[in-house]
Structure formats: C-alpha cells, structure tokens
Amino acid sequence: MFPSLCRVCGNPLLRLSRAPICEDCWKSLIVQTGVVCQRCSEELHFSAFAPVGGTEIRDEERFCQPCRLAPPPFERAVAYGGYTGTLRTLIHALKYDGVLPVADRLGIYLAEAILKLESVTDALVVPVPLHAAKQKQRRFNHAELLARAAVRVLRARRPEWRLTLAPGVLERRRATLSQAGLSPHQRRANLRGVFFVPQPEQVAGRDVLLIDDIYTTGATARACSQVLLRAGARSVRVATVARPQRENFAVAQFSADEVPMHEDVAFWGAEQETAAAQPWVAATRQRANQRDTGFWGRNVFRQSHGQIDGPRA
C-alpha cells in the first residue's frame, strides 16, 4: 500500500525511496562534535583534563584513559555520530532487519567520518568480516556494504585518493559469542584468535582502513588491527558509522590483573584457541541472546537486539 511508513518514526513516506526512511529522520542525525580522544574519538570532558591554572591542553595530550593506559595498535579511529536514537535504529534496520538500501545512505555519513583521516589517500579498505556461518545466515556483511557505499562516495569526492576495497584480506576463523553483556576484558578474550590474514603479502607495507558499523569498547578494532599489523601492514586506521560515548569517562577499563592486549590476539596463521573464552560463556550466553548491552565500568547502554557477531566492539 502507498504511502508506506517510515521505519524509524512511523510517519507516512511522502516520496518513493529504496530505503523506507523519511527525510526528517535522516536529517535528524547528529554528527559527533566536541573535544575527543585523538586516538579513538571517545568524547573527553575537557574541564576534567585541563591542567591547574587553566593552561590549554595540546592536541597530542588529548587522550582518553583507556588509550593512555593501553594504547591501541591502530593510528586513529573516527565515527560519524553517537550510537543512539535514530542512528542506532538505522543501524539495527540494516544489521538485523536486512533493510539493505539503508547502507547506501549510511555510507555517505561514513565517508564524512573518513574524510577526517587525511592520511588514508592510498589505502586498502577492509571491512570487519563475519564468520562464514553467520554471513551465510544473513546473506550479507553489513560492514562490507557500508565500506562499498563509502568508497563510492569518496571516489567521487576525492578522485585523487587511491582506495582499494579488499573484503577478503581479513577473515574470521571461528564464530563468537555476542559482545553484548561482556566486560572489556571479556570482549577481548571473546575475540582472541578469531581474526587472521590468510595472505599476508596482500597487506605487506600497505596502509589499511578498517570499516565497521559501531566502535564500542574497541576490542574488535584492536584485535583486527593487531592481526593486520602482524601480517605486515604499515598502519591501520578505523572508521565506523557510530560510536557510543561513556558518561562516566573516569571509570577504569583496564585492571592490573587483566591479560595484556598482545596476548589477546593470535598471530595470523597460528592455531586458534577457544578455551580461554569458555569459563564465562555459559553465564553470559542466555543474557547475551536476550539483550544488547555494552558495559563500561558501571555504565550500561541497553539496546533491543543481541546475537552472535553483533553489535561490534
């Protein structure tokens, strides 16, 4: 029947569109602004970082607590907007409901975020992979759809950039639990030995732009970057459509007894170990399948879906 309804607000669509989203909802998306971490783009509460006497903080000193305590292997991560409201609903429509045309429009916003990375003018564009079984079930990889859409936009806006879409460079060797409901350390343990580069010569000496839908705690971005660098990549940068923000930014995410990051990721081509993630699997499986929750210390972001491979970390 015509008119159909917007999948976000429920209002009638006034024009035909491949993506059943009204223009008002698209225009309501809020771009990430303010002072952010120079490494992962976490929002910084600037006043809390200002030195005594009010002296302005230099850019190189603007890092969030996790990046200062355990610097990630990637050079920088950027995102278009916050993982909340309309943007969150749009990502869910693509990822869980299979509304594939949404990827084309979200790719435009992803391209806007990538434009912040002026050093990716000659790079391999690598979407975070799904496990083969999950991709067969869904019949698409949302990260790859977003990457393809963003590359099309960037080739039109920056024809001098040499971006090569390379979806097969990085592979996911085993299926994992949902990252929902897991602590930062558990998220990293859940991804231990998951990713690998089957043909290291494809990334040797290359700059890599890693693409995903959401950057949550950074566990996925760290794991993928570590593997790509060990396979010979010169550098890795990360771009996502959305990034949740911690309100209680001062809560520590890394404790002294946690496993070091370099031990959380297996070297490409090595035997994959799954036992390390098992002690807490039974306790979290039912909860992870019922809700989509991200933990940062005491902060909880509740979402409406929870399943294997989603949401990204």
Side-chain angles (χ1 to χ4, degrees):
M1 293 181 63
F2 182 82
S4 58
L5 302 180
C6 172
R7 293 291 292 269
V8 177
C9 67
N11 290 330
L13 295 175
L14 301 180
R15 64 180 68 179
L16 291 174
S17 173
R18 293 180 63 241
I21 312 297
C22 71
E23 279 302 310
D24 287 341
C25 286
W26 285 117
K27 292 177 181 179
S28 70
L29 299 183
I30 301 175
V31 66
Q32 184 182 42
T33 58
V35 180
V36 298
C37 173
Q38 295 298 294
R39 183 64 68 89
C40 74
S41 292
E42 169 65 33
E43 182 179 350
L44 300 179
H45 292 242
F46 190 81
S47 60
F49 285 80
V52 176
T55 304
E56 184 177 355
I57 296 178
R58 294 174 297 182
D59 285 346
E60 60 269 22
E61 296 174 335
R62 295 178 181 177
F63 295 98
C64 67
Q65 185 185 44
C67 288
R68 284 185 282 116
L69 294 178
F74 53 80
E75 298 291 327
R76 191 181 177 195
V78 294
Y80 174 78
Y83 186 55
T84 185
T86 299
L87 186 53
R88 175 173 167 271
T89 302
L90 291 170
I91 291 174
H92 281 203
L94 168 63
K95 190 171 182 176
Y96 301 118
D97 299 334
V99 186
L100 303 189
V102 169
D104 292 335
R105 189 70 174 263
L106 289 180
I108 297 175
Y109 302 119
L110 177 60
E112 293 287 346
I114 295 172
L115 288 172
K116 303 174 187 177
L117 301 171
E118 297 181 358
S119 53
V120 296
T121 56
D122 184 1
L124 289 177
V125 181
V126 178
V128 171
L130 292 176
H131 185 263
K134 173 57 68 176
Q135 183 149 348
K136 183 178 180 180
Q137 176 187 345
R138 286 189 182 174
R139 300 179 180 174
F140 66 92
N141 177 2
H142 55 282
E144 183 176 343
L145 294 178
L146 292 169
R148 290 185 182 278
V151 167
R152 284 197 301 268
V153 173
L154 291 169
R155 284 174 178 168
R157 294 189 184 182
R158 295 289 188 273
E160 70 277 12
W161 286 17
R162 293 182 294 178
L163 301 177
T164 303
L165 187 64
V169 162
L170 188 64
E171 293 187 10
R172 197 179 191 107
R173 184 161 282 184
R174 63 175 173 83
T176 57
L177 270 181
S178 169
Q179 297 284 68
L182 305 183
S183 71
H185 171 55
Q186 290 172 337
R187 285 170 180 257
R188 299 201 303 274
N190 191 35
L191 295 174
R192 186 177 297 148
V194 168
F195 301 105
F196 78 110
V197 177
Q199 295 180 296
E201 64 275 10
Q202 292 183 331
V203 303
R206 298 297 305 272
D207 294 317
V208 174
L209 175 60
L210 185 69
I211 301 295
D212 207 356
D213 57 338
I214 311 163
Y215 182 111
T216 309
T217 65
T220 299
R222 285 174 178 259
C224 291
S225 299
Q226 190 93 338
V227 169
L228 288 164
L229 291 171
R230 288 180 173 180
R234 182 168 66 177
S235 68
V236 180
R237 290 166 179 81
V238 183
T240 60
V241 176
R243 194 202 196 291
Q245 296 295 336
R246 296 188 299 274
E247 293 179 2
N248 190 3
F249 64 96
V251 175
Q253 294 191 43
F254 300 91
S255 61
D257 58 350
E258 284 195 0
V259 177
M261 175 58 63
H262 69 273
E263 296 180 11
D264 272 355
V265 184
F267 183 60
W268 52 266
E271 291 297 324
Q272 308 304 307
E273 298 293 338
T274 60
Q278 297 307 311
W280 41 266
V281 165
T284 60
R285 184 182 299 276
Q286 182 177 4
R287 178 176 57 187
N289 288 333
Q290 291 176 344
R291 65 185 182 182
D292 182 5
T293 308
F295 280 82
W296 294 285
R298 293 186 293 271
N299 290 312
V300 178
F301 288 79
R302 297 189 180 276
Q303 303 161 4
S304 59
H305 297 279
Q307 55 193 48
I308 291 178
D309 287 321
R312 297 284 180 205

